[in-house]
């Protein structure tokens, strides 16, 4: 592979060949051969302060490592390990480019789209445990790596700005999608308002809980390690719960264009919620529980808004692999939002049913 990447690897004292890896939309990921290390080029157009970002990751993984050791887990497999450069830095800067390295967590798989609700149950445990382990981490000591990341009203403002600028002349082709968003403008502020009013707490959250951001054990399929920690910041548990269901509960990929095949799977929602609540119901507040089902709708909506904005802006943020890729993604997300609207009450009942079951089980113990 590229000679210059080999030079970068050498900065981390690793001499190996290297290949492209992973399906992320933001960073460039490579794997060493033999597969002992992951090298990533941090997307510094998006993450403007790599030093602060790596500071967050080092601190959070160090905290997790202690907790994992305390419960008898394996810190080498259950959280990421940052590899330092030869001069003991946690990333290497080569001109404008920034690279970091992690130990490769072996014998694991990633799942792009869960077909089996049991995988969603395990994912729910994975992200729920992550939240639980970080429950006593001092949230406000973390840097905000992307300002207002899940501030949905601000995401709408960005869309409105993109529409008014219409930089690449695409607005005329997306009037239906724009209308879909503007018709739902009111719900956008629900979580931000609840945080500002002190109705729901600020917690340490992951903020990008796509199912492919968990490593599952290749043999047992247990969710063992939460990865992609760039957006770990102060946030709301609702962001993590909702965002995980956005693709996790869908019957199709995020960019599926045949919308007849894109549905919000209730069984997968239920399975994820059960796993997540088994880890978190003891500390989530009443208001958070009340908004869990809503958060799946909100986070799917927000991501659709971001894809639509990027399409209108000329595809400058998310990696695209074909024409109209961001528009396809946006339409896919809006199809899911429309479906969740139809079943939101049912989803709420499922949440309360699961909470009651967990309470009963804990009483019997
Ligand atoms: P992005 O921000 O671009 O999504 P990720 O950090 O999620 O990048 O990494 C992309 C993919 O690389 C993941 O989905 C996973 O398959 C793989 N990966 C990342 N880190 C590790 C690791 N430490 N061990 C094993 N696989 C990893
Ligand atoms: C990006 O990095 P990745 O592919 O896990 C994005 C998320 C979006 C997601 C949509 C930093 O996640 O917020 O929900 O794409 N990450 C960032 O698939 O913007
Ligand atoms: Mg990722």
């Amino acid at each position: 592979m590229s000679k210059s990447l080999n030079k970068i690897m050498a900065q981390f004292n690793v001499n190996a060949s290297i290949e492209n890896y992973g399906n992320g939309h933001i960073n460039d990921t490579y794997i060493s051969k033999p597969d002992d290390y992951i090298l990533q080029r941090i997307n510094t157009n998006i993450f403007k302060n790599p030093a602060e970002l790596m500071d967050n990751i080092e601190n959070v993984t160090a905290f997790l490592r202690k907790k994992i050791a305390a419960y008898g887990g394996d810190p080498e497999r259950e959280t990421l390990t940052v590899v330092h450069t030869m001069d003991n830095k946690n990333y290497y800067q080569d001109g404008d480019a920034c690279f970091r390295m992690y130990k490769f967590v072996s014998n694991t798989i990633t799942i792009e789209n869960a077909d089996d609700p049991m995988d969603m149950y395990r994912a729910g445990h994975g992200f729920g445990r992550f939240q639980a382990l970080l429950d006593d981490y001092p949230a406000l000591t973390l840097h905000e790596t992307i300002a207002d990341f899940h501030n949905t009203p601000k995401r709408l403002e960005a869309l409105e700005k993109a529409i008014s600028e219409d930089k690449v002349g695409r607005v005329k082709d997306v009037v239906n999608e724009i209308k879909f968003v503007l018709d739902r403008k009111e719900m956008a502020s629900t979580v931000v308002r609840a945080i500002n009013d002190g109705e729901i707490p600020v917690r340490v959250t992951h903020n990008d809980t796509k199912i492919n951001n968990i490593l599952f054990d290749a043999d047992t399929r247990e969710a063992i390690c939460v990865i992609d920690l760039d957006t770990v910041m102060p946030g709301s548990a609702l962001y993590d719960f909702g965002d995980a269901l956005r693709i996790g509960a869908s019957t199709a990929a995020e960019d599926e264009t045949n919308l007849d095949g894109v549905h919000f799977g209730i069984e997968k929602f239920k399975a994820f919620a059960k796993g997540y609540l088994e880890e978190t119901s003891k500390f989530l507040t009443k208001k958070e529980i009340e908004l869990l089902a809503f958060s799946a709708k909100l986070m799917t909506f927000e991501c659709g808004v971001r894809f639509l904005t990027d399409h209108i802006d000329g595809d400058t943020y998310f990696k695209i692999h074909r024409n109209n890729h961001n528009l396809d993604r946006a339409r896919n997300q809006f199809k899911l939002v429309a479906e969740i609207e139809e079943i939101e009450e049912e989803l709420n009942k499922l949440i309360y049913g699961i909470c009651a079951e967990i309470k009963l089980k804990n009483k019997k113990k």
Side-chain angles (χ1 to χ4, degrees):
M1 207 12 217
S2 148
K3 208 171 168 196
S4 58
L5 284 176
N6 288 120
K7 273 196 197 150
I8 305 292
M9 301 273 279
Q11 296 295 326
F12 294 88
N13 205 14
V14 174
N15 289 304
S17 64
I18 183 161
E19 288 174 3
N20 282 316
Y21 197 66
N23 288 319
H25 294 344
I26 306 296
N27 297 311
D28 297 329
T29 303
Y30 308 91
I31 187 168
S32 71
K33 289 285 155 192
D35 52 4
D36 297 321
Y37 299 100
I38 288 281
L39 179 75
Q40 279 183 325
R41 179 179 171 156
I42 302 170
N43 186 330
T44 44
N45 287 330
I46 290 175
F47 296 105
K48 305 276 185 214
N49 192 329
E52 286 189 358
L53 177 145
M54 290 310 296
D55 195 36
N56 276 1
I57 294 179
E58 287 253 58
N59 288 332
V60 165
T61 53
F63 185 90
L64 287 172
R65 202 165 295 124
K66 274 193 201 145
K67 288 252 174 130
I68 293 164
Y71 68 63
D74 178 355
E76 292 272 305
R77 278 177 75 66
E78 295 173 39
T79 190
L80 287 173
T81 306
V82 176
V83 178
H84 284 192
T85 61
M86 286 195 294
D87 53 359
N88 204 25
K89 303 247 165 54
N90 52 27
Y91 70 99
Y92 174 70
Q93 182 142 10
D94 182 33
D96 287 344
C98 290
F99 292 87
R100 61 154 170 243
M101 189 179 272
Y102 292 122
K103 283 194 184 159
F104 182 77
V105 184
S106 59
N107 202 34
T108 57
I109 52 165
T110 38
I111 299 174
E112 293 298 325
N113 279 95
D115 293 324
D116 183 353
M118 271 310 286
D119 285 336
M120 285 301 284
Y121 173 71
R122 297 183 193 109
H125 265 287
F127 284 129
R129 194 180 319 123
F130 184 83
Q131 192 99 85
L133 291 175
L134 292 171
D135 194 36
D136 54 344
Y137 189 100
L140 298 178
T141 61
L142 285 171
H143 305 287
E144 204 178 4
T145 55
I146 300 181
D148 296 314
F149 191 60
H150 284 305
N151 186 321
T152 319
K154 291 223 167 141
R155 295 293 187 181
L156 276 179
E157 281 172 25
L159 173 64
E160 283 168 340
K161 182 166 177 274
I163 296 169
S164 70
E165 292 176 353
D166 196 11
K167 283 183 196 150
V168 287
R170 291 180 175 169
V171 166
K172 61 181 182 325
D173 303 321
V174 293
V175 283
N176 291 339
E177 288 73 19
I178 292 173
K179 181 173 182 321
F180 183 94
V181 172
L182 297 181
D183 285 349
R184 287 160 181 79
K185 202 171 170 178
E186 216 172 283
M187 72 160 159
S189 53
T190 307
V191 172
V192 168
R193 198 174 342 125
I195 293 177
N196 290 342
D197 293 350
E199 280 192 296
I200 52 176
V202 171
R203 302 182 183 281
V204 177
T205 49
H206 182 281
N207 298 304
D208 186 5
T209 48
K210 255 203 290 211
I211 182 152
N212 71 4
N213 285 332
I214 294 192
L215 301 176
F216 294 83
D217 186 284
D219 300 322
T220 64
R221 279 184 102 86
E222 290 305 323
I224 54 165
C225 183
V226 171
I227 61 168
D228 206 345
L229 304 177
D230 296 334
T231 50
V232 173
M233 289 184 270
S236 162
L238 295 165
Y239 301 153
D240 285 0
F241 181 84
D243 196 38
L245 290 156
R246 187 177 67 73
I247 315 182
S250 177
T251 54
E254 181 185 60
D255 58 357
E256 174 59 58
T257 50
N258 175 10
L259 297 186
D260 292 339
V262 178
H263 299 291
F264 190 80
I266 297 185
E267 281 312 309
K268 291 202 278 178
F269 172 89
K270 189 175 165 191
F272 182 88
K274 186 167 188 300
Y276 181 83
L277 284 164
E278 282 173 358
E279 300 280 355
T280 59
S281 64
K282 52 189 172 296
F283 60 82
L284 290 183
T285 66
K286 214 171 136 215
K287 187 73 184 174
E288 284 173 316
I289 301 232
E290 187 187 308
L291 288 172
L292 284 177
F294 170 83
S295 74
K297 180 174 71 175
L298 184 72
M299 297 312 296
T300 309
F301 175 73
E302 182 190 277
C303 200
V305 169
R306 292 175 62 198
F307 288 143
L308 181 60
T309 307
D310 200 31
H311 175 73
I312 295 174
D313 272 342
D315 306 308
T316 60
Y317 185 97
F318 296 104
K319 284 183 191 168
I320 56 161
H321 307 290
R322 57 177 190 245
N323 285 342
N324 288 340
H325 206 164
N326 275 314
L327 178 58
D328 292 342
R329 290 170 177 149
R331 287 182 172 147
N332 176 305
Q333 300 297 287
F334 295 153
K335 167 77 192 288
L336 292 168
V337 170
E339 279 204 6
I340 303 172
E341 284 173 349
E342 297 296 315
I343 54 169
E344 203 174 332
E345 264 324 291
E346 190 182 338
L347 299 182
N348 261 321
K349 281 193 193 134
L350 284 173
I351 295 284
Y352 285 112
I354 293 166
C355 288
E357 240 174 58
I358 294 173
K359 221 174 181 180
L360 198 69
K361 231 194 230 161
N362 289 342
K363 236 188 207 167
K364 280 188 188 155
K365 270 185 195 162

